[in-house]
Amino acid sequence: MHASRTARRTRRGLAALVAAGAALTAWSTASPASASTGSDTVGDARVLCTSDRPGLAPTLSHDLADALQDRRGTSAVALYDRPSGTSCEFQAGTSFDSASVVKVTVLGTLLRQAEEAHRTLTPHEVALTTAMITQSDNASTDALWHQVGRPAVQHFLDLAGMRHTVPGPGGSWGLTQISAADQLTLLRLLTTDNAVLGTASRAYALDLMRKVVPEQRWGVPAGAPASATAHLKNGWLSRAHQGWRVHSVGVFRGNGNDYGMALLSTGSDTMGYGVATVEAAAKVIHRDLAGAADHQGATVDAAPTEAPGA
C-alpha cells in the first residue's frame, strides 16, 4: 500500500513538472497579447520586430530597414530590450565566420569549467582572459582555446542553448560559425540569472567587456545614450572570399537601460565599410529605444493625479 501511494505521488509530481515545463516554454516563446509588431524589407529579407510599447515595433523595423537597405554585403541583426518588451531580428539565423566575437564564448567556456571544478580562475587565466577581451589579443585566445578544448566549447554551447554555433576546426577559433540569434542568446545569458553561469562569472565577463580599450569601442556603442554603460566585444577578419567580416555585440545597462544587440556583417570591401554598416544599425536602435522611453516617460508625467472634473 505504501509503495502504491508513493508511486502515485511520484507520477503526480512528474506530471506537474511536465506541465510546468510546458507552461514555461509557452510563456517564453509566446508574445504578449498586447504586443505590437512591425515588418519591413531589405532586399529579399525581412526586418521583424515586436514590442509591448505602442508604435515602437513598426518604427524600429522601418528605421533598421532604411539603415541597411543600401549597404553592400550581408548583414544580420538581433535585439532585445527588456523594459519595453522589444525584440527585433533580421537574418538572425544566417551563419557568419565569428572572427573575435567568439572570444566571449571562449570566456564563457572557461568560466563554466571553473564553476564545474568548484574553483576560481588562476592569476594566469585572469591575465589571459583580460588580454583576450579588453585588447582582443589573439595569442591569449589561442592559449585559452587549446586549454579548454573544443569539446568543452561545445558543452558550453549546448548548455547555453546556442544550437546554431559550430566551433571552428582545430585551432581556428575565428572560423567558428555564429548567428546573430545565438550571439543574442549569449548576451541574455550574461545579463540574467541562469543555471549555466553564476553571478560572479557573469559579473566578471561583463566587467571585462566594459573595459574594452578605447580604440576598439566602435560598433554597437555608436549613438548609445550617455546614461548607459556599454559592455561589448567586436570582431573583424578579412578573407579572400566575401572580403571583411565585421561584427559587434554588446549590452547596455544602468539608469533604466537594459538591452542588448548583435550586429554581424560580411562582404565589405574594407573594414571601415563594415564598421559603418553595423554602426548604422546601432544608431537607429539607440535612437528609437531612447525616443520610445522618453515618450513613455512624458506620457506618465503628464497623467492627471485626479479624475477629470473632480
Side-chain angles (χ1 to χ4, degrees):
M1 180 66 74
H2 176 71
S4 176
R5 287 198 302 270
T6 301
R8 286 197 296 272
R9 292 193 191 100
T10 300
R11 286 195 294 271
R12 286 197 298 269
L14 288 172
L17 285 172
V18 170
L24 178 60
T25 300
W27 175 84
S28 62
T29 58
S31 297
S34 62
S36 64
T37 61
S39 175
D40 215 320
T41 58
V42 180
D44 296 329
R46 300 192 73 81
V47 181
L48 301 172
C49 297
T50 64
S51 180
D52 293 344
R53 191 158 291 168
L56 180 54
T59 297
L60 265 171
S61 61
H62 172 77
D63 290 350
L64 277 169
D66 189 57
L68 297 173
Q69 189 69 56
D70 296 323
R71 305 303 298 176
R72 296 189 301 275
T74 301
S75 56
V77 176
L79 162 74
Y80 74 82
D81 177 55
R82 291 190 176 105
S84 64
T86 298
S87 64
C88 291
E89 63 175 36
F90 170 66
Q91 303 194 124
T94 302
S95 292
F96 294 78
D97 293 332
S98 67
S100 288
V101 295
V102 76
K103 293 172 181 178
V104 181
T105 298
V106 176
L107 175 60
T109 301
L110 175 65
L111 292 169
R112 176 65 192 185
Q113 276 191 334
E115 287 190 19
E116 290 180 350
H118 305 289
R119 69 173 182 84
T120 59
L121 299 188
T122 67
H124 183 58
E125 289 170 337
V126 169
L128 290 175
T129 54
T130 299
M132 177 176 69
I133 300 297
T134 66
Q135 301 173 40
S136 204
D137 183 69
N138 289 339
S140 299
T141 312
D142 289 339
L144 288 169
W145 180 264
H146 287 99
Q147 175 183 322
V148 299
R150 198 173 182 275
V153 174
Q154 187 61 61
H155 175 59
F156 175 76
L157 294 172
D158 292 342
L159 292 175
M162 298 167 68
R163 297 179 179 85
H164 302 290
T165 299
V166 181
S172 300
W173 45 263
L175 298 184
T176 295
Q177 296 303 291
I178 62 170
S179 69
D182 271 8
Q183 286 297 295
L184 200 71
T185 294
L186 179 57
L187 296 177
R188 288 181 182 273
L189 188 77
L190 293 176
T191 55
T192 189
D193 291 341
N194 62 83
V196 183
L197 293 176
T199 302
S201 292
R202 299 195 308 273
Y204 181 76
L206 289 172
D207 186 57
L208 291 182
M209 294 170 71
R210 179 178 63 85
K211 295 176 179 176
V212 166
V213 294
E215 57 268 28
Q216 294 180 20
R217 299 188 71 81
W218 46 263
V220 293
S227 61
T229 299
H231 312 258
L232 71 142
K233 184 69 194 79
N234 293 331
W236 56 100
L237 171 67
S238 177
R239 302 188 72 188
H241 178 59
Q242 293 187 329
W244 281 88
R245 288 84 165 131
V246 180
H247 313 316
S248 188
V249 303
V251 297
F252 299 83
R253 310 180 80 199
N255 297 307
N257 300 289
D258 186 2
Y259 60 99
M261 65 183 84
L263 309 176
L264 311 182
S265 73
T266 192
S268 296
D269 294 335
T270 66
M271 180 180 168
Y273 188 88
V275 171
T277 296
V278 297
E279 289 192 343
K283 290 173 183 176
V284 162
I285 290 170
H286 292 303
R287 183 191 69 206
D288 288 354
L289 290 179
D294 289 344
H295 176 74
Q296 182 76 4
T299 301
V300 171
D301 290 342
T305 57
E306 296 180 338

